[in-house]
Each structure stands twice: as structure tokens, then as C-alpha cells.
């Protein structure tokens, strides 16, 4: 079990620019929640002019609470994002977010996570379908970091996750292997490695993660490319393409451009 939150910037476009504009930090949840929750992420901002940020989403569900200025606090469930996520922040505000481990939202949702894929659902609209949504009464964005994390712990614990769920445990392990093992390139070979049929692996991922295993493999690889270029220094694209299993450099360029809206060369230039 992790002893500290992830420190990478995978998926965040121009992370240095983000950190110059807002206060962004991650914290681990209570130990009992760590099998399902990757981390909490907190963002505060006081801006004199609008700031736009883009993110190539992880294959994970997020629950996000936000307050702009002195306005009311809102909450939403954000399913796995299939496209580039863009947001413009203005004035002052706060966000307290929960990033679940891929597959980790299923014990709370207890239905097919694919129902949420590509969608952002306000908690207020989910209350009839999903009773835990009624538990949000505000205050998640108030106080110190410790206060905010404690409130998130209390909220998620109150949602009573399904603690015995072998299929979710299995898919969480499988996704973590894809994330960390560069040799995982093909769905059929990965299924055979674990004694699964390709069909069962696909159904497991769609139900628990919300997207198929091929999409997860491709998303983690492109996020690694983004992180490699995060300092504005162009890596050896041909070597990186070979290391990550792309057929050639042109293949990497097509995938990167489709995910981010710009070529790798244009991205590194934008960072400079």
C-alpha cells in the first residue's frame, strides 16, 4: 500500500505553468480507503486574469467538489474522460477532488462504471439513482488541507464501499501492471499472461474501469510521452516510440496529436 501520493505529472499539460498559477497538492486518504482511492487532490486559486488548463485524463473516476468565490459548493462525479479536458479558472476558488484508482469507484457505485464514461454528473442529479449522492451537504472545500481530507474521508466512508469484491481487486491489480510495465502492449498477450480470455478481460475492464484494456494501454503510454516532454526538452522521439511499443515515430506523433490537439514538437515549443 502506498505511503505517499503519486508525485508525477502524467496527463497534465504544461505542469510547470499550472503550479505557477494555482496551489495544487495531493494527499493520501485514510488507510481504509486506499485500496480504492488513489489520492485526494486540492486546488486553490486567486487569479487576476483567466487561466486555462488542459489535462489528458487518467482511466479513473473522480469525484470533484468546487467553490468559486463566496458561491455555493457543488459536487459532481466525473467518469473516465475520453477526450482532452479543458477548464478556465477565474477569480478565486477551491477544489477538493477524489481520484479513485482505476476500477476503484465500482465498490461505491455498484453498477457498471461504463455508465459514467465520458460524462460529468452533478451529485444533485444522481441522488435518486445513487443514494450516497444525498450525503454531500457542503463544507468539503472549507478549512485547512487536514480539514478537507478529513471531510472527504468521512464522506467516502459513509458511502459504505463494497469491501468484498474479488473482481474489482483483480482489475485494480491488472491496471496497475499496465501502468508500470512498459512491456504490456497487446491486449491478447496480456490476457494470456493472466490466464484470461480476451473477451473476459474486456468485459471486466468495461464494467469495473469504464473503458477497455486497449484504451487503458494507449492512454498510459501517451501520458508517459507527455511527462517525458514536460520540461520543454524534446526527447528522442524515435527511441521513445520504440520503447513504448509504437510501430514507428509517425505512429507516436499521430497518437499524441489526437490526445492533446498538438504535435509533440509543438507541445515542447509551447513549454519553452
Amino acid at each position: 500500500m502506498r505511503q505517499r501520493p503519486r508525485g508525477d505529472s502524467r496527463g497534465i499539460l504544461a505542469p510547470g505553468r499550472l503550479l505557477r498559477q494555482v496551489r495544487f497538492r495531493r494527499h493520501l486518504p485514510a488507510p481504509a480507503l486506499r485500496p480504492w482511492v488513489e489520492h485526494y487532490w486540492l486546488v486553490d486559486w486567486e487569479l487576476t486574469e483567466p487561466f486555462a488548463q488542459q489535462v489528458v485524463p487518467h482511466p479513473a473516476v473522480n469525484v470533484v467538489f468546487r467553490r468559486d468565490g463566496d458561491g455555493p459548493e457543488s459536487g459532481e462525479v466525473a467518469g473516465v474522460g475520453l477526450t482532452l479536458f479543458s477548464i478556465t479558472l477565474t477569480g478565486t476558488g477551491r477544489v477538493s477532488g477524489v481520484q479513485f484508482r482505476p476500477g476503484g469507484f465500482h465498490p461505491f457505485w455498484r453498477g457498471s462504471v461504463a455508465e459514467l464514461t465520458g460524462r460529468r454528473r452533478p451529485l444533485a442529479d444522481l441522488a435518486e439513482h445513487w443514494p450516497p449522492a444525498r450525503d454531500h451537504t457542503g463544507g468539503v472545500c472549507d478549512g485547512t488541507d487536514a480539514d478537507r481530507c478529513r471531510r472527504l474521508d468521512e464522506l467516502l466512508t459513509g458511502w459504505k464501499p463494497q469491501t468484498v469484491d474479488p473482481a474489482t481487486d483483480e482489475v485494480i491489480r491488472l491496471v496497475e501492471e499496465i501502468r508500470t510495465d512498459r512491456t504490456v502492449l497487446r491486449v491478447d498477450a496480456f490476457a494470456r499472461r493472466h490466464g484470461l480470455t480476451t473477451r473476459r478481460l474486456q468485459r471486466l475492464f468495461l464494467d469495473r474501469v469504464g473503458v477497455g484494456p486497449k484504451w487503458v494501454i494507449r492512454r498510459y503510454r501517451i501520458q508517459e510521452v507527455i511527462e517525458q516532454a514536460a520540461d520543454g526538452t524534446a526527447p528522442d522521439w524515435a527511441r521513445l516510440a520504440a520503447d513504448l511499443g509504437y510501430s514507428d515515430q509517425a505512429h507516436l506523433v499521430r497518437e499524441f496529436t489526437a490526445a492533446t490537439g498538438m504535435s509533440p514538437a509543438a507541445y515542447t515549443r509551447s513549454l519553452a
Side-chain angles (χ1 to χ4, degrees):
M1 187 175 293
R2 291 189 178 93
Q3 300 302 311
R4 58 179 61 87
R6 256 191 18 243
D8 62 75
S9 61
R10 286 191 178 188
I12 302 174
L13 297 185
R17 192 176 303 147
L18 170 72
L19 296 177
R20 288 192 296 272
Q21 296 288 334
V22 307
R23 291 185 61 228
F24 174 87
R25 56 264 190 224
R26 296 177 176 134
H27 297 285
L28 288 179
L33 294 165
R34 293 179 196 175
W36 311 292
V37 177
E38 183 80 32
H39 54 246
Y40 299 147
W41 51 276
L42 309 181
V43 183
D44 302 339
W45 64 93
E46 294 183 30
L47 300 168
T48 56
E49 57 185 34
F51 170 66
Q53 179 62 47
Q54 295 179 311
V55 177
V56 177
H58 287 257
V61 173
N62 284 260
V63 174
V64 184
F65 303 94
R66 175 172 171 171
R67 171 175 286 132
D68 288 282
D70 296 324
E73 182 178 286
S74 62
E76 68 174 10
V77 177
V80 176
L82 300 177
T83 58
L84 185 67
F85 173 71
S86 300
I87 189 169
T88 298
L89 304 177
T90 59
T92 63
R94 299 183 125 198
V95 167
S96 296
V98 182
Q99 184 174 111
F100 289 84
R101 301 178 71 180
F105 189 62
H106 186 274
F108 298 84
W109 182 248
R110 302 194 186 190
S112 175
V113 179
E115 296 174 24
L116 298 166
T117 298
R119 306 177 70 186
R120 305 179 72 86
R121 301 287 304 278
L123 286 176
D125 294 350
L126 286 173
E128 185 173 338
H129 168 70
W130 188 52
R134 303 188 189 110
D135 295 345
H136 173 230
T137 56
V140 183
C141 293
D142 296 337
T144 65
D145 283 17
D147 294 332
R148 292 156 77 173
C149 291
R150 183 168 57 252
R151 183 70 181 96
L152 289 171
D153 285 340
E154 292 169 353
L155 189 67
L156 296 186
T157 301
W159 288 356
K160 296 180 172 58
Q162 183 181 358
T163 56
V164 180
D165 187 0
T168 291
D169 296 343
E170 179 183 21
V171 81
I172 287 174
R173 289 193 300 270
L174 292 172
V175 175
E176 181 66 9
E177 184 174 339
I178 291 172
R179 186 180 74 84
T180 58
D181 186 350
R182 280 187 173 189
T183 68
V184 179
L185 302 173
R186 294 180 55 87
V187 174
D188 53 357
F190 186 62
R192 286 195 301 272
R193 179 191 295 187
H194 291 278
L196 303 171
T197 65
T198 300
R199 179 181 175 83
R200 182 180 184 282
L201 185 68
Q202 290 170 336
R203 292 177 63 181
L204 182 66
F205 270 60
L206 285 172
D207 185 53
R208 260 53 179 190
V209 182
V211 287
K214 181 179 180 180
W215 191 93
V216 173
I217 293 170
R218 292 173 65 184
R219 178 51 51 96
Y220 275 137
R221 298 300 166 258
I222 207 65
Q223 285 188 339
E224 185 166 350
V225 176
I226 293 168
E227 188 174 36
Q228 292 270 355
D231 64 356
T233 303
D236 182 333
W237 297 115
R239 176 180 293 179
L240 188 58
D243 288 347
L244 296 178
Y246 293 97
S247 56
D248 52 28
Q249 183 175 336
H251 183 197
L252 182 152
V253 170
R254 288 195 300 273
E255 293 278 319
F256 189 101
T257 304
T260 67
M262 66 184 86
S263 69
Y267 177 61
T268 53
R269 285 198 301 270
S270 74
L271 297 178

